[in-house]
Amino acid sequence: MSQLVWNGLFVGSFYALVALGYSMVYGIIKLLNFAHGDLYMLGAFVGFAVLGAAGGVSAAMALPVLLLVLVLTMGVTGLAGVVLERVAYRRLRGAPRLSLLITAVGASFALEYGMRAGAGADPRVYPVRLSGTTLEVLGARVTLQQLTLVAVAVILMIGLNLLVNRSREGRAMRAVALDPRAAALMGIDVDAIISRTFFLGSALAGAAGVMAGAHYGKIDFMMGFLIGLKAFTAAVIGGIGNIPGTMLGGLLLGLLESFGTFWLGGEWRDVFAFGVLILFLTVRPTGLLGERVTERV
Amino acid sequence: MNAPLLSVEGLRLAFGGVVAIDGLTFAVGEAEIVSVIGPNGAGKTSAFNCVTGFYRPTAGSVRLRGRDITGLRPSAVAALGVARTFQNLRLFGEMSVLDNVRAGTHLRIRQNVLDALLHTPRYRRSERESTEQAHHWLDFAGLRGDRYGPARALPYGEQRRVEIARALARRPDLLLLDEPAAGLNHTEKAEMLDLIRRIREQGVAIVLIEHDMGLVMDVSQRVVVLNFGREIADGPPDEVRRDPQVVEAYLGRDADEAEIEQARASVAGGRDGGA
Amino acid sequence: MTGPGGGAPPAEATSEAAPAPGGGRRGAGPRSIASRLMENRWAGLAGLAVALLAPFVNASPYALSVMTSAAIFVMLAAGLNIVVGYCGLLDLGYIAFFAVGAYTSGVLSTRLGLPLVATLPAVLVVTVIAGLVIGAPTLRLRSDYLAIVTLGFGEIIRVTATNLDVTGGPSGIYGIPGLTEGPVSFYYLTVLVVAVAVIGAARLGRSRLGRAWRFVREDEDAAEAMGVHTYKVKMAAYVVGAIWGGLAGVLFAAHLSAVSPGSFTFLQSALVLMAVVLGGMGSIRGVVVGAVIVSLLPELLRDLADYRYVAFGVLLIIVMLVRPQGLWPARPKEVAK
């Protein structure tokens, strides 16, 4: 039982990290960035490349090296997100929603198959694995590395929350999310704020990618597809556009999946997750913490 | 006693803590023109949205010939004989002008999927009827521009006519016009005034939201005045014009320059105010 | 394979030329009446002629197989065009209906020993149900939510097919009977069915229902205000799209005599979407051309296997940025009658 809870929370923290980027981008330009999951995949591969270039990593140094790689990767995927927005999305901001969504699908496609062309279709084995000691916590088997990853995820999320709620930058972001035109009139550089939002969201996805690589040990070019869907589900559960809600949604989805898998069997895990998504969208489309939209019949 | 065509009772609409409409009651008889006026943000368009089903009112009721239509979806309200236009023109921009007006005939023409697939005589007949009606109402609305090209290509004033023709093609008993004269020049306004009168002659009742006081005072049988969501007056134009509360609302600090000008002009001397 | 105007027999043009009120003041396009009809008619007939004559040029089993697949792909694109092009609903899991059709006919024909034609009623019923089940909860949602939920449904269908025994698990179903004897006759049958499907989609697109789809695409509120029950209309688009996809699935099952989950991935959904977007959303001629390009181009670019999907992705972005109406767009300008 507590094992299921722990597994759920662990996977959920990945979902939450990726979902945050989804949610932030949606909050600010109302776009479902289909390519977001692929930035997570890109992060995993960037980490893979950097670690490969660094040569062998001794087990003792694994953690510090991994953290360094994490920061580097976040920079790279963050920039990738910025470029994506600049090249593909910016010019379509006033265009019909459908055009923007199709563009996002195109971007996702290009990233996935671009990576396949570059790195091959076969899964790659991550060059570093954190071999941790196993601890018993409340009857659940927890490895040290899992704890570390969750800690990193939590630190990143707290940092993001502080940034959005406390800083000038964050205030500008919230202003743009609320009303881009009014924000522009107040002297906020809307383009720059949107760029930074993409940077932050994509950086978080990249971090999650590296962590997933180190945890699961294997990465491939399609790894972002499912997690993109899961992240969207998490964002919807929590309330898309709402940062604490999205974190909660990620953890909740992790837990639901963990229990769902236990009851139904692993092969039904993804079906179960989408079932939850559809249920939420039908019953409470604004999510647990999302604000109610004006009631239109 | 016959129930009036439209009766709105105790209508209240709140978004969270913000009250957009706070107790609105008015009625519209058959073939009557009633104007709803008030400063910007007074809740006029919200009231339209409640009547036509786009908003679900927080409290109160909307009745059509005595039948409660509160909370029905907009298409169901439309099916009962209510048509509307929108404040910011809502045409189907990429579609032809004719197709736009054919939208009004959607509920009137009878054809099913098989008719459409097999091009049965019934299909051709219904399409022809739809097209003829569309032409008829475009003629009625006095459209001069190209009917076969996309609606977005027409000049603004012409687009207003198309929107009204589309609503008329619905053959409504009640037509709600949301600022039909906004953005029109003097000639176009005069033509709009004429069009509104001709619509009424067809036996259609009209509820009109309009800022142009000249037009309102000229064409309406009755005027309902809203201010901050509250109804402050309801009566014939002459009476409403002299109502101290109305003058106050229009000359108060919340009215903008243009409205003050309009209000002054209309209070002072009737229809030259705006037209 | 004719354009929207092509389905109309000449009689219609004359019968509808009857005087209508206010004829004098209509913005006229006398130039367009004949020329446009001809253009549409010829485009459609030329396309059909090319499809019918192709086997005389090259009837190798490989070429026939490629052409049959292309024709089936055209039908898929025509179906998705109803949903995305006419109605403006982004469906990223369209291939699910293709799968439902293929599996339903495959399972029934192999398990019960039925000829494939006998499974058609069941396929219709099952695809309509699938359309309703997927549409009912999602069509009330905002359009962008719809996109991702349909993506999820596409995955659910595929995962379910992989996990169930009745669908043969990951390896799928083998030994599905064909519809005709030999690949040549099957090719012609496919072309015939697809041509009917394309004309049917075009005719629906021009009808009362088709206009309602486009009203919804252009402005949902205005459509509602005119009495269009937007939810039902969207549902109709979804169900009709599902039927087109399901019937294409039957052709697919007959063509390959086998179905497996690997044929119904998101990649396939995205390729159909690519065809619709490239050709021109809402333009039946454009979509047919788009589908032929998307299905045949990879055959011509075999050497660039790894890069062709990258190119598709980039192309999607470029089309949206530079020419969102597609290669051969639908004209808002209608033929004066």
Side-chain angles (χ1 to χ4, degrees):
Chain A
M1 176 71 187
S2 50
Q3 187 69 47
L4 287 179
V5 173
W6 168 248
N7 289 348
L9 288 177
F10 178 67
V11 177
S13 63
F14 280 156
Y15 290 163
L17 266 188
V18 185
L20 278 174
Y22 234 121
S23 206
M24 287 168 69
V25 166
Y26 186 87
I28 205 153
I29 59 169
K30 307 286 176 281
L31 161 72
L32 289 181
N33 182 10
F34 283 102
H36 190 68
D38 301 302
L39 290 166
Y40 159 92
M41 177 273 294
L42 182 69
F45 274 90
V46 169
F48 174 81
V50 174
L51 283 168
V57 179
S58 70
M61 290 298 288
L63 192 61
V65 168
L66 199 64
L67 288 180
L68 189 69
V69 170
L70 198 74
V71 174
L72 265 174
T73 304
M74 287 173 72
V76 175
T77 50
L79 284 178
V82 170
V83 171
L84 179 66
E85 190 270 332
R86 187 74 192 77
V87 174
Y89 302 152
R90 185 168 295 179
R91 281 178 53 194
L92 289 171
R93 223 177 275 156
R97 190 70 68 89
L98 190 61
S99 308
L100 204 55
L101 284 169
I102 289 172
T103 308
V105 172
S108 165
F109 223 61
L111 275 171
E112 281 166 13
Y113 287 91
M115 189 54 80
R116 191 177 107 141
D122 298 325
R124 295 299 189 94
V125 177
Y126 231 59
V128 60
R129 292 213 65 174
L130 294 167
S131 45
T133 0
T134 309
L135 308 170
E136 288 271 332
V137 179
L138 300 167
R141 282 158 40 88
V142 178
T143 66
L144 211 52
Q145 56 129 326
Q146 285 179 324
L147 275 180
T148 318
L149 292 182
V150 170
V152 173
V154 168
I155 290 167
L156 286 174
M157 286 191 258
I158 291 175
L160 179 76
N161 217 1
L162 285 178
L163 187 74
V164 171
N165 286 324
R166 296 288 161 79
S167 74
R168 213 179 121 77
E169 197 85 330
R171 204 156 49 227
M173 270 180 204
R174 282 178 287 145
V176 174
L178 218 55
D179 187 343
R181 281 182 57 203
L185 288 176
M186 292 296 121
I188 294 173
D189 184 346
V190 173
D191 283 346
I193 292 298
I194 291 176
S195 272
R196 273 166 227 172
T197 309
F198 266 88
F199 182 89
L200 282 177
S202 311
L204 290 179
V210 174
M211 287 157 68
H215 175 66
Y216 296 112
K218 270 190 186 169
I219 57 174
D220 68 79
F221 73 101
M222 283 301 285
M223 66 188 281
F225 177 67
L226 257 187
I227 196 117
L229 278 173
K230 298 286 179 67
F232 172 77
T233 308
V236 165
I237 292 177
I240 196 155
N242 177 315
I243 289 180
T246 303
M247 296 182 197
L248 181 71
L251 296 179
L252 215 57
L253 179 65
L255 286 173
L256 283 170
E257 262 193 28
S258 173
F259 281 92
T261 308
F262 178 69
W263 289 321
L264 298 172
E267 70 270 29
W268 294 106
R269 188 182 63 177
D270 300 336
V271 172
F272 182 75
F274 296 135
V276 170
L277 170 65
I278 289 153
L279 188 75
F280 256 88
L281 284 176
T282 316
V283 177
R284 199 180 159 84
T286 52
L288 292 175
L289 299 187
E291 61 259 57
R292 289 219 158 254
V293 194
T294 314
E295 186 172 351
R296 299 277 311 258
V297 184
Chain B
M1 186 188 119
N2 282 339
L5 178 60
L6 173 75
S7 70
V8 174
E9 263 164 53
L11 195 71
R12 184 183 155 85
L13 180 71
F15 302 116
V18 185
V19 180
I21 305 172
D22 192 4
L24 172 62
T25 299
F26 71 97
V28 181
E30 306 277 351
E32 191 180 20
I33 300 183
V34 174
S35 288
V36 179
I37 64 169
N40 287 327
K44 306 184 295 287
T45 298
S46 295
F48 262 32
N49 283 334
C50 286
V51 170
T52 50
F54 283 92
Y55 288 163
R56 191 188 296 276
T58 316
S61 71
V62 180
R63 285 170 189 281
L64 198 66
R65 295 206 172 99
R67 179 180 165 178
D68 192 352
I69 60 165
T70 325
L72 287 187
R73 66 180 295 143
S75 58
V77 175
L80 292 171
V82 179
R84 70 172 291 180
T85 64
F86 293 86
Q87 193 175 348
N88 322 302
L89 278 173
R90 300 283 287 270
L91 290 179
F92 308 115
E94 293 297 318
M95 300 177 70
S96 72
V97 171
L98 268 181
D99 268 348
N100 267 274
V101 183
R102 284 184 184 123
T105 68
H106 179 80
L107 291 170
R108 302 186 70 82
I109 58 175
R110 292 278 156 247
Q111 55 169 258
N112 59 32
V113 169
L114 275 183
D115 291 329
L117 286 174
L118 303 176
H119 280 191
T120 58
R122 183 158 76 148
Y123 169 81
R124 296 206 188 124
R125 195 176 339 112
S126 60
E127 286 295 294
R128 194 164 53 237
E129 274 166 24
S130 174
T131 307
E132 279 167 10
Q133 285 174 22
H135 278 302
H136 171 76
W137 291 112
L138 283 170
D139 290 340
F140 185 87
L143 184 89
R144 299 182 193 89
D146 178 13
R147 299 177 178 191
Y148 303 97
R152 62 170 156 71
L154 287 179
Y156 182 79
E158 293 275 274
Q159 293 195 21
R160 285 251 173 241
R161 289 174 197 277
V162 175
E163 206 190 19
I164 291 178
R166 182 176 72 181
L168 289 174
R170 171 75 279 281
R171 306 298 301 276
D173 298 320
L174 176 67
L175 175 64
L176 292 89
L177 298 173
D178 199 344
E179 299 199 26
L184 300 186
N185 63 31
H186 278 243
T187 334
E188 288 171 332
K189 269 186 188 170
E191 286 170 354
M192 185 59 72
L193 187 69
D194 174 56
L195 177 57
I196 292 173
R197 288 213 172 101
R198 284 189 291 124
I199 295 171
R200 190 198 163 205
E201 283 164 15
Q202 300 276 314
V204 179
I206 296 173
V207 184
L208 180 70
I209 293 180
E210 186 50 60
H211 278 299
D212 186 320
M213 286 307 143
L215 200 152
V216 165
M217 295 300 164
D218 205 356
V219 84
S220 322
Q221 268 86 59
R222 272 184 316 111
V223 177
V224 175
V225 189
L226 284 181
N227 194 25
F228 292 111
R230 285 177 181 281
E231 183 179 345
I232 55 173
D234 180 353
D238 285 336
E239 228 171 79
V240 166
R241 189 187 321 211
R242 285 189 296 270
D243 190 310
Q245 257 188 303
V246 176
V247 177
E248 163 75 28
Y250 267 83
L251 297 180
R253 56 195 153 86
D254 287 288
D256 63 33
E257 291 292 318
E259 280 166 347
I260 291 174
E261 275 312 304
Q262 281 178 355
R264 263 202 195 116
S266 60
V267 168
R271 65 164 299 193
D272 327 330
Chain C
M1 300 227 174
T2 75
E12 182 179 71
T14 46
S15 73
E16 298 208 358
R25 264 193 287 156
R26 290 186 224 162
R31 175 190 73 82
S32 57
I33 301 174
S35 67
R36 287 244 159 78
L37 262 178
M38 294 300 270
E39 183 200 81
N40 276 333
R41 178 164 295 275
W42 284 115
L45 285 179
L48 191 59
V50 169
L52 292 176
L53 293 176
F56 293 100
V57 179
N58 185 348
S60 68
Y62 172 72
L64 271 178
S65 168
V66 167
M67 289 188 300
T68 308
S69 300
I72 295 173
F73 196 73
V74 166
M75 182 158 173
L76 273 180
L80 183 63
N81 182 49
I82 292 172
V83 182
V84 179
Y86 290 152
C87 207
L89 306 165
L90 185 51
D91 185 341
L92 293 177
Y94 185 65
I95 212 71
F97 300 123
F98 192 51
V100 166
Y103 269 107
T104 307
S105 63
V107 168
L108 289 180
S109 61
T110 53
R111 302 264 160 177
L112 305 180
L114 293 171
L116 216 48
V117 177
T119 66
L120 283 178
V123 168
L124 275 178
V125 170
V126 174
T127 46
V128 167
I129 291 175
L132 291 174
V133 165
I134 297 180
T138 53
L139 290 175
R140 291 186 197 279
L141 304 172
R142 306 169 41 113
S143 58
D144 39 5
Y145 282 22
L146 175 78
I148 206 148
V149 173
T150 52
L151 179 61
F153 263 117
E155 285 301 292
I156 289 183
I157 296 283
R158 191 177 57 82
V159 173
T160 306
T162 314
N163 289 343
L164 292 181
D165 289 332
V166 70
T167 53
S171 51
I173 305 171
Y174 296 91
I176 299 167
L179 280 167
T180 59
E181 301 289 325
V184 176
S185 53
F186 182 68
Y187 171 72
Y188 280 114
L189 176 71
T190 306
V191 168
L192 184 73
V193 171
V194 172
V196 169
V198 168
I199 293 171
R203 286 189 168 190
L204 280 183
R206 283 169 61 84
S207 73
R208 172 178 180 268
L209 180 61
R211 277 195 300 273
W213 287 335
R214 280 173 288 147
F215 297 147
V216 167
R217 178 191 71 196
E218 295 284 314
D219 189 326
E220 245 182 85
D221 285 346
E224 273 281 340
M226 286 297 108
V228 176
H229 194 299
T230 51
Y231 181 66
K232 282 188 194 162
V233 162
K234 286 194 270 186
M235 194 66 111
Y238 223 66
V239 168
V240 172
I243 292 173
W244 259 238
L247 294 180
V250 178
L251 288 175
F252 178 77
H255 177 42
L256 295 187
S257 81
V259 287
S260 70
S263 307
F264 309 108
T265 58
F266 171 63
L267 176 65
Q268 300 302 319
S269 289
L271 287 180
V272 185
L273 179 68
M274 174 80 229
V276 172
V277 170
L278 182 67
M281 288 182 278
S283 152
I284 198 81
R285 293 159 299 153
V287 164
V288 169
V289 172
V292 171
I293 293 176
V294 170
S295 59
L296 291 186
L297 208 55
E299 302 298 332
L300 302 174
L301 300 177
R302 283 243 159 243
D303 301 337
L304 298 170
D306 275 348
Y307 291 96
R308 63 182 194 230
Y309 295 134
V310 185
F312 278 154
V314 174
L315 204 57
L316 266 183
I317 300 176
I318 292 176
V319 170
M320 279 298 119
L321 288 174
V322 180
R323 199 176 162 80
Q325 71 273 39
L327 291 179
W328 198 356
R331 268 188 315 256
K333 184 102 183 159
E334 63 178 278
V335 179
K337 286 183 283 204

